[in-house]
Amino acid sequence: MKTTRTLLAAVLLGSIVLPASAQDQITLDFYHTQLDFLPAIVQKFNETHPNIQINDLAPAESYLPGDQNVIRGLMTGTAPDIYLPSYASIATLVGLFQERGQEVPLTSFLEAEGADWVSTNYADAILDLAQVDDVQYAMPFNASLPVMYVNQELIEQVGGSVDDFPTTWDGVTELATKISALGDQYEGISFSVGGFASDWLWQMMVLSTGASMLNDEMTGIGYDNEQGLEALRVTQDFAVKSGMSVYASATPSTQQFYAGTVGIIVGSSASTVSHSQAVGDRFTMRTVRFPLIDAENGSLPAGGNALMILTQDEAKQAAAWEFVKYMTSPEVQAEVAKLSGYMPTNQQSAEVLAGFYAENPNFQTVFNSMDAAGKWFAYPNNTAPDLLKELSPILDGLQRGNVTPEDALVQIRDSHAAILANQ
């Protein structure tokens, strides 16, 4: 595979920007989580836009620490000019900025570009991912859905088929159990639902039943019902029946998958490139759809992030919008898709990527899953960290078989209600 720098060398060469004097140059601080492909993109922007320079700040380890740093910066006047939060963080950040009268809606920028330009580049469903109360506060940059990464040889060794992969969790559990039976060194599936830096994995399970994460009043869980029990049953079932090891992070299972000893792991489609590179020629890695618990009514939380303008300076806002347009352009979005596995957020990228997807079927799975795409639920008033702190050990105990789905539901219901009551 070509290097990131080589892949991005031809991006936006048709955009000619006249040189600007040093005093006309605007510098913008850009903050984001660790994404290996971003520095090269930022560098190319700086090279082609001498009047706007992006200062690429040291990245955050993950979304939640990044959000906390931005919130602290908001309080101290040191927030970055542009931030790349997850979709789940946008509503919380917008709420905080609204309280201070510092929100920066993108409505005027979009209107200036014109309705035809907007509709040509961005589908309504994509724009909706970064809206709050139908107002565009950020522009989607990356979009992904959960997929299953599988070891084709292990699947076939137990009589399964990647091309005819199970579409139900019962089928996945049966297949995983057979792989685990191959020997002590093998695990059929490794999917520790509580072992993630957010509750995205748990949202996959709940939303795939058709339930909601919280009730309409935002005072308690929205799955205190048979749907919630089914999500918990499935979450425990595949772990206990297959003899799965439960971890507090995704690292152990990922490393074991790379080594060829795990048949199935779950993750973002954005990991397609990194997983493929790490696996190398040890085995044939394939991607398959993440099964919905309720195939008719279920959905999956769209992962990814969006570009949010935070600066209050009008000149910097105009410069930031040029950066946002560049980052969400067809050419840049196509290169990001090749480098990561994220789905392009600019619909014109499809034509650019037609040949690439034909040659790389692992990247097509996310597109085949888009009919199930839904919003990554955003918790109110920055309660996500506290909710996750209580949720993770409950899911850990559930998957270890130490607590029943019924008891787990009560524990989650009570802990969430207590935290939400004090928001």
Side-chain angles (χ1 to χ4, degrees):
M1 180 175 288
K2 297 180 180 179
T3 64
T4 299
R5 189 176 179 85
T6 301
L7 279 169
L8 291 168
V11 174
L12 293 184
L13 291 182
S15 178
I16 305 299
V17 180
L18 296 176
S21 61
Q23 61 265 30
D24 293 330
Q25 188 180 87
I26 292 178
T27 299
L28 302 169
D29 288 337
F30 176 40
Y31 187 48
H32 54 82
T33 55
Q34 182 66 51
L35 294 170
D36 293 340
F37 53 81
L38 269 182
I41 299 177
V42 171
Q43 180 180 342
K44 181 57 63 176
F45 176 87
N46 286 339
E47 290 172 356
T48 56
H49 295 73
N51 58 325
I52 305 172
Q53 291 296 288
I54 302 299
N55 179 27
D56 195 8
L57 301 174
E61 181 180 354
S62 61
Y63 288 124
L64 286 179
D67 292 345
Q68 298 305 312
N69 288 338
V70 168
I71 292 170
R72 281 192 291 269
L74 169 64
M75 303 304 174
T76 60
T78 59
D81 300 305
I82 307 166
Y83 180 43
L84 191 67
S86 72
Y87 295 123
S89 303
I90 294 172
T92 294
L93 293 171
V94 168
L96 291 171
F97 274 87
Q98 287 175 333
E99 290 176 4
R100 302 172 65 87
Q102 295 177 333
E103 70 272 21
V104 184
L106 303 182
T107 307
S108 61
F109 297 105
L110 291 168
E111 289 177 346
E113 298 293 342
D116 289 343
W117 179 86
V118 174
S119 63
T120 297
N121 287 283
Y122 313 106
D124 289 342
I126 290 295
L127 290 175
D128 183 59
L129 295 174
Q131 293 177 356
V132 178
D133 296 330
D134 298 323
V135 176
Q136 201 75 45
Y137 283 100
M139 288 297 286
F141 175 62
N142 289 330
S144 67
L145 286 176
V147 297
M148 286 186 162
Y149 294 92
V150 305
N151 182 322
Q152 180 171 314
E153 283 76 11
L154 286 181
I155 298 298
E156 293 176 347
Q157 191 173 340
V158 297
S161 168
V162 174
D163 294 324
D164 188 26
F165 200 79
T167 59
T168 67
W169 275 103
D170 285 343
V172 170
T173 300
E174 180 180 357
L175 186 62
T177 303
K178 290 179 180 178
I179 294 173
S180 296
L182 291 174
D184 292 341
Q185 73 270 38
Y186 294 107
E187 286 202 8
I189 187 171
S190 192
F191 181 30
S192 298
V193 177
F196 199 61
S198 73
D199 77 332
W200 190 51
L201 304 183
W202 177 232
Q203 287 200 25
M204 297 176 196
M205 305 306 292
V206 173
L207 297 180
S208 76
T209 69
S212 302
M213 298 309 298
L214 293 184
N215 58 31
D216 292 341
E217 296 76 23
M218 300 291 182
T219 57
I221 59 175
Y223 52 93
D224 188 12
N225 49 35
E226 288 301 318
Q227 292 168 306
L229 278 175
E230 183 65 4
L232 290 162
R233 184 196 69 78
V234 171
T235 299
Q236 182 178 72
D237 200 47
F238 68 76
V240 172
K241 287 185 177 179
S242 69
M244 188 188 86
S245 299
V246 182
Y247 299 112
S249 77
T251 301
S253 60
T254 302
Q255 294 302 318
Q256 291 164 10
F257 179 73
Y258 294 161
T261 60
V262 172
I264 305 165
I265 61 172
V266 173
S268 167
S269 60
S271 299
T272 301
V273 169
S274 60
H275 284 349
S276 179
Q277 291 174 337
V279 167
D281 59 2
R282 294 186 187 92
F283 58 88
T284 305
M285 186 194 80
R286 296 283 300 277
T287 61
V288 297
R289 288 187 62 150
F290 184 94
L292 299 174
I293 294 177
D294 185 331
E296 182 176 349
N297 300 305
S299 66
L300 294 174
N305 43 53
L307 292 149
M308 177 179 279
I309 297 175
L310 306 185
T311 178
Q312 300 298 297
D313 182 275
E314 290 188 3
K316 284 190 171 184
Q317 288 178 358
W321 178 246
E322 292 304 311
F323 180 63
V324 170
K325 288 197 297 181
Y326 176 92
M327 296 289 275
T328 61
S329 65
E331 297 86 354
V332 168
Q333 283 295 303
E335 294 305 322
V336 169
K338 293 178 183 179
L339 293 165
S340 62
Y342 275 115
M343 185 192 76
T345 57
N346 190 305
Q347 55 194 4
Q348 292 194 76
S349 299
E351 183 176 348
V352 181
L353 289 166
F356 174 77
Y357 284 126
E359 297 175 2
N360 297 272
N362 275 346
F363 289 79
Q364 290 185 317
T365 301
V366 65
F367 286 93
N368 296 336
S369 305
M370 288 310 294
D371 59 325
K375 273 194 172 183
W376 184 345
F377 185 81
Y379 293 95
N381 299 326
N382 197 33
T383 52
D386 291 334
L387 294 173
L388 179 65
K389 184 178 180 180
E390 296 294 326
L391 174 68
S392 292
I394 298 172
L395 296 176
D396 182 285
L398 175 79
Q399 291 198 291
R400 293 179 186 275
N402 296 332
V403 60
T404 66
E406 290 78 10
D407 288 342
L409 184 62
V410 171
Q411 292 176 28
I412 296 171
R413 180 190 66 203
D414 292 347
S415 64
H416 277 43
I419 292 170
L420 294 167
N422 295 319
Q423 63 179 301

